[in-house]
Amino acid sequence: MTVKQELNQLLYKQQEESYSHISIEEEFAFYRNIASGNLDVLQGDLLTENREHMGILSHNPLQNRKYHLVILVAMITRFCIERGLEPEESYTLSDLFIRKIDSAISEKQLETIKIDVITEFTNTMHAIKQGKNYSYHVRHGIDYISKHITESISGVDVANALGLNRDYLSHLFQKETGCPLQRFILRKKCETSCYMLKNSSISCTDISSFLGFASCSHYIKCFREEYGITPGKYRTQGDF
């Protein structure tokens, strides 16, 4: 049977069963609400999965939901990037959630992950929308830091990439973000590590290496200075 014949057969079956996919307008409106940081998404039954409009991607019910949830994560990720979420942060968060989906062994776990995905992205986008508008140089500095967050970068590296004096750029960061450039770099690395601590079982040693810290002890020191607790305690206690 050709693909065309299979498609026609499936469409006919769906008509017989009065089945239809969710409209593209309704689906995209949902993604846009998340990407705009609309907290109403987190209220009422908006988080509840509508299985009536869930296509069959696998005849295994658990696998079918996994496929749909991976698609959901991929779509939300791209909508959020389009609305201003830093690509490296967005893709890293996406990867962490997809790994959790892959290892899930029950529909209850998948439902919890889905709620976490929507909640995390919506709250992140809401925080961005509430933030201030940075100057051209600071915006590009933040973008450079995000793209090289896994490297051992310094304030000099960022300033050189932008063709600016390090002290001048650090002054701009101090004025607009509340902390000097080098401290901002470490802060963003610690923020990224929070996602990894919450959504994976990766060791602190591997996290520090992945994010380009000088050593695990340096990472723990920076994390404690930023949040007041160690990465290990944060992992067990949850959000601050």
Side-chain angles (χ1 to χ4, degrees):
M1 185 182 294
T2 67
V3 173
K4 182 67 174 178
Q5 289 173 324
E6 287 187 78
L7 175 61
N8 289 334
Q9 186 180 71
L10 183 57
L11 289 172
Y12 179 73
K13 181 179 179 182
Q14 289 178 174
Q15 284 181 333
E16 280 190 323
E17 298 174 354
S18 299
Y19 170 84
S20 64
H21 289 85
I22 188 173
S23 71
I24 194 72
E25 293 83 6
E26 188 177 351
E27 182 180 6
F28 275 33
F30 179 66
Y31 296 141
R32 282 193 290 267
N33 275 325
I34 294 173
S36 64
N38 183 357
L39 298 182
D40 289 341
V41 171
L42 308 180
Q43 304 302 317
D45 61 355
L46 290 178
L47 288 178
T48 304
E49 188 167 1
N50 189 346
R51 298 200 195 186
E52 181 182 345
H53 298 288
M54 183 186 289
I56 300 175
L57 305 179
S58 170
H59 292 295
N60 180 311
L62 183 65
Q63 194 62 43
N64 190 54
R65 293 194 69 188
K66 284 188 177 185
Y67 286 146
H68 278 280
L69 194 46
V70 168
I71 292 170
L72 177 78
V73 172
M75 292 298 292
I76 291 174
T77 298
R78 282 148 184 80
F79 268 76
C80 288
I81 289 173
E82 188 179 63
R83 290 295 186 94
L85 183 58
E86 296 165 0
E88 197 63 35
E89 179 178 347
S90 189
Y91 285 128
T92 299
L93 188 56
S94 170
D95 291 346
L96 289 171
F97 278 124
I98 290 175
R99 284 198 292 270
K100 292 186 74 171
I101 294 167
D102 181 61
S103 62
I105 59 174
S106 71
E107 294 198 12
K108 184 177 181 180
Q109 280 184 313
L110 291 176
E111 186 61 28
T112 298
I113 294 169
K114 179 191 175 185
I115 292 173
D116 288 345
V117 168
I118 296 172
T119 302
E120 190 70 44
F121 275 102
T122 302
N123 284 334
T124 298
M125 295 308 295
H126 180 73
I128 289 175
K129 300 305 177 184
Q130 297 301 309
K132 63 180 293 186
N133 292 320
Y134 294 126
S135 65
Y136 175 87
H137 291 316
V138 170
R139 284 202 316 273
H140 280 260
I142 293 173
D143 183 57
Y144 180 88
I145 292 167
S146 297
K147 289 178 178 176
H148 298 80
I149 198 70
T150 61
E151 299 173 21
S152 180
I153 57 173
S154 66
V156 173
D157 296 321
V158 181
N160 288 343
L162 272 59
L164 298 171
N165 175 274
R166 188 200 70 84
D167 292 337
Y168 170 70
L169 184 59
S170 186
H171 172 73
L172 289 180
F173 266 80
Q174 177 71 61
K175 180 181 177 182
E176 298 182 28
T177 71
C179 65
L181 179 55
Q182 189 60 40
R183 183 66 206 171
F184 185 88
I185 294 171
L186 295 174
R187 173 173 293 177
K188 296 305 290 184
K189 287 179 179 289
C190 287
E191 285 180 8
T192 301
S193 79
C194 287
Y195 292 121
M196 302 177 76
L197 290 166
K198 283 196 300 182
N199 298 292
S200 76
S201 58
I202 302 172
S203 70
C204 289
T205 300
D206 288 340
I207 289 175
S208 66
S209 177
F210 176 75
L211 292 174
F213 281 93
S215 64
C216 184
S217 59
H218 180 226
Y219 163 55
I220 294 172
K221 177 177 179 291
C222 291
F223 194 95
R224 184 187 288 115
E225 288 177 353
E226 191 65 38
Y227 300 118
I229 61 174
T230 65
K233 278 194 175 181
Y234 173 77
R235 171 169 268 162
T236 58
Q237 293 180 192
D239 293 335
F240 301 107

